[in-house]
Amino acid sequence: MVPLKLACLLGLQQAQPNGQAQAAGDGTETGTFTVLEVRSGKSPGVVRAYCQAIDGTKHAVYAKDGAGQALAGAVGKTVEIKYRQGDKGLIALGVRLAG
């Protein structure tokens, strides 16, 4: 294991994308996004939202249940999403309107 200072000097740590996301200790992150579009997912009850982060990057966000309903009602609005990384995009665990 490489000590933290040495890892920083060697560039071994991942940098966070422009302060967009805050990592939690449980493998989840929280970020602020603008919801551009929402569609039905392939599985029943799942929605796929296309969202733009503060830094301008676009992401596919998958959600179901309450998080999916919150995304579906937030097209054109800014939301704060608690998510984890998935194979094809971000998987929303919680969504709330920002501001």
Side-chain angles (χ1 to χ4, degrees), residues 5 34-35 40 45 50 59 62 84:
K5 280 187 175 182
T34 300
V35 182
S40 295
Y50 294 100
H59 304 274
Y62 297 89
R84 65 179 175 84

Side-chain angles (χ1 to χ4, degrees), residues 37-50 60-65 68-69 71-72 88 90:
E37 179 183 342
V38 177
R39 296 182 183 180
S40 295
K42 291 182 180 180
S43 301
V46 175
V47 297
R48 178 178 59 194
Y50 294 100
V61 180
Y62 297 89
K64 61 181 181 178
D65 301 327
Q69 291 174 354
L71 280 175
K88 296 183 180 181
L90 306 178

Side-chain angles (χ1 to χ4, degrees), residues 1-94:
M1 183 160 202
V2 180
L4 184 59
K5 280 187 175 182
L6 183 57
C8 290
L9 292 173
L10 296 174
L12 297 176
Q13 284 194 309
Q14 280 187 313
Q16 281 196 300
N18 297 330
Q20 168 225 341
Q22 296 178 356
D26 58 358
T28 63
E29 298 179 49
T30 303
T32 304
F33 300 87
T34 300
V35 182
L36 304 174
E37 179 183 342
V38 177
R39 296 182 183 180
S40 295
K42 291 182 180 180
S43 301
V46 175
V47 297
R48 178 178 59 194
Y50 294 100
C51 300
Q52 184 170 356
I54 293 172
D55 63 1
T57 59
K58 294 181 182 178
H59 304 274
V61 180
Y62 297 89
K64 61 181 181 178
D65 301 327
Q69 291 174 354
L71 280 175
V75 175
K77 298 179 183 175
T78 302
V79 294
E80 189 173 289
I81 302 174
K82 181 177 180 180
Y83 64 90
R84 65 179 175 84
Q85 295 289 334
D87 292 338
K88 296 183 180 181
L90 306 178
I91 299 173
L93 304 173

